[in-house]
Amino acid sequence: MQAVSNIHSLERPRAHGMIDFAPLFMRQTVETAQSGTTIFFEGDAARHVFRIVRGNVRICRFLPDGRRIIIGFLGAGDLVGLSFRNRYLFAGEAIDEVAFSRMNKRTLEEELQLVPDFRLQLLSQLRDEISAAQDHMLLLSHKNAEQRVCTFLLHRLERNEGRDGRTISLPMVRADIADHLGMTIETVSRTLTKLVAKGILLPADKHQFKVASRLALARTADEDPDDLFEDVDAGARCGGTRYQ
């Protein structure tokens, strides 16, 4: 993998999501990274914070024996590279073509001092990241393969709530999902096939699935479905089984 070297001018990004840091980065040059490019390396001096304008990034760490652990996946509007230490604890790699802006950490700190609202938003994001890390530890230690995959799919579905509420986008390859969930590629593929056979998932476009029953997906993930929307007409049916 190669570090980012080419810089291209792109249009200014539009606001995205409830927590939008775009105004902080509006004066920064927008760069692009091709699929497989490392945006920053684990162990590099943590001089910059990055905002993803377009595309998807995997956050990963490599163990001494060469194994890769994927901590999570980030997309448009997310901040990458926040570190309270002098060096990055993880690497950031482009899954597909990624457009991003970078800002010097000292400049970011100065901007946050000028706009208190952004400080609160940043603290909110850091809080969410800590909660996500705790949830991920529980997932790896207490859930079986099917529950892990279903929990992952639910989290991906939450990212796509602005669409039809049923579409799950999976821009990453099966190997990425496996390294994120502590599974093998074969187990990930078999589990997805099993969920399609049960009628919980429906194949859609490339890198996408449709969720036939969010309630069934949540229950298979061993998650509380009370806050999930389920069409009355769907009858909470999945693969011939009625979920009460």
Side-chain angles (χ1 to χ4, degrees):
M1 296 181 181
Q2 298 178 343
V4 175
S5 59
N6 296 325
I7 298 178
H8 307 278
S9 295
L10 300 176
E11 294 182 0
R12 181 178 302 173
R14 295 181 179 180
H16 172 81
M18 295 181 62
I19 300 179
D20 180 26
F21 295 98
L24 283 177
F25 289 78
M26 62 173 28
R27 293 194 298 271
Q28 308 303 313
T29 302
V30 177
E31 308 171 48
T32 59
Q34 298 303 311
S35 173
T37 300
T38 300
I39 299 172
F40 60 89
F41 289 90
E42 177 185 348
D44 278 357
R47 298 192 180 98
H48 297 92
V49 175
F50 306 81
R51 179 183 179 272
I52 305 172
V53 178
R54 183 184 68 248
N56 298 275
V57 172
R58 55 178 172 255
I59 305 302
C60 52
R61 189 168 190 174
F62 293 90
L63 301 180
D65 61 6
R67 286 181 299 162
R68 180 184 68 166
I69 298 177
I70 294 183
I71 310 303
F73 302 98
L74 300 176
D78 290 329
L79 296 186
V80 189
L82 289 170
S83 176
F84 296 106
R85 299 189 179 182
N86 295 328
R87 298 190 178 278
Y88 296 118
L89 299 179
F90 311 103
E93 300 177 347
I95 294 176
D96 42 23
E97 182 176 296
V98 174
F100 64 92
S101 300
R102 73 173 79 202
M103 181 183 292
N104 183 277
K105 285 179 63 178
R106 181 172 297 180
T107 302
L108 177 61
E109 291 170 359
E110 293 172 354
E111 293 283 353
L112 292 175
Q113 290 297 325
L114 295 174
V115 188
D117 285 346
F118 282 127
R119 292 207 304 272
L120 295 176
Q121 291 178 350
L122 184 60
L123 287 174
S124 177
Q125 174 162 324
L126 292 174
R127 178 198 62 202
D128 291 343
E129 289 182 3
I130 293 173
S131 296
Q134 293 172 337
D135 289 343
H136 192 63
M137 287 189 293
L138 290 173
L139 179 147
L140 294 179
S141 61
H142 294 290
K143 293 195 173 186
N144 61 35
E146 186 175 56
Q147 291 170 340
R148 293 183 191 186
V149 171
C150 289
T151 300
F152 173 71
L153 294 175
L154 282 172
H155 292 165
R156 295 300 303 178
L157 185 61
E158 290 175 3
R159 291 192 66 93
N160 294 0
E161 282 293 357
R163 299 181 182 180
D164 59 6
R166 297 282 180 176
T167 301
I168 298 175
S169 177
L170 300 177
M172 67 291 294
V173 297
R174 298 289 188 267
D176 288 345
I177 300 174
D179 287 348
H180 179 54
L181 299 178
M183 299 164 57
T184 64
I185 302 173
E186 294 77 15
T187 302
V188 170
S189 297
R190 282 199 303 269
T191 304
L192 290 172
T193 301
K194 182 179 178 180
L195 293 173
V196 171
K198 286 184 175 181
I200 297 176
L201 295 182
L202 301 174
D205 295 334
K206 185 178 180 181
H207 302 302
Q208 289 186 344
F209 286 98
K210 290 281 188 179
V211 178
S213 172
R214 295 175 64 173
L215 181 60
L217 183 63
R219 286 182 166 164
T220 307
D222 195 28
E223 297 285 340
D224 186 356
D226 288 346
D227 295 331
L228 294 176
F229 172 80
E230 182 70 15
D231 286 332
V232 175
D233 291 341
R237 289 186 178 275
C238 177
T241 302
R242 176 177 291 276
Y243 291 84
Q244 301 299 332

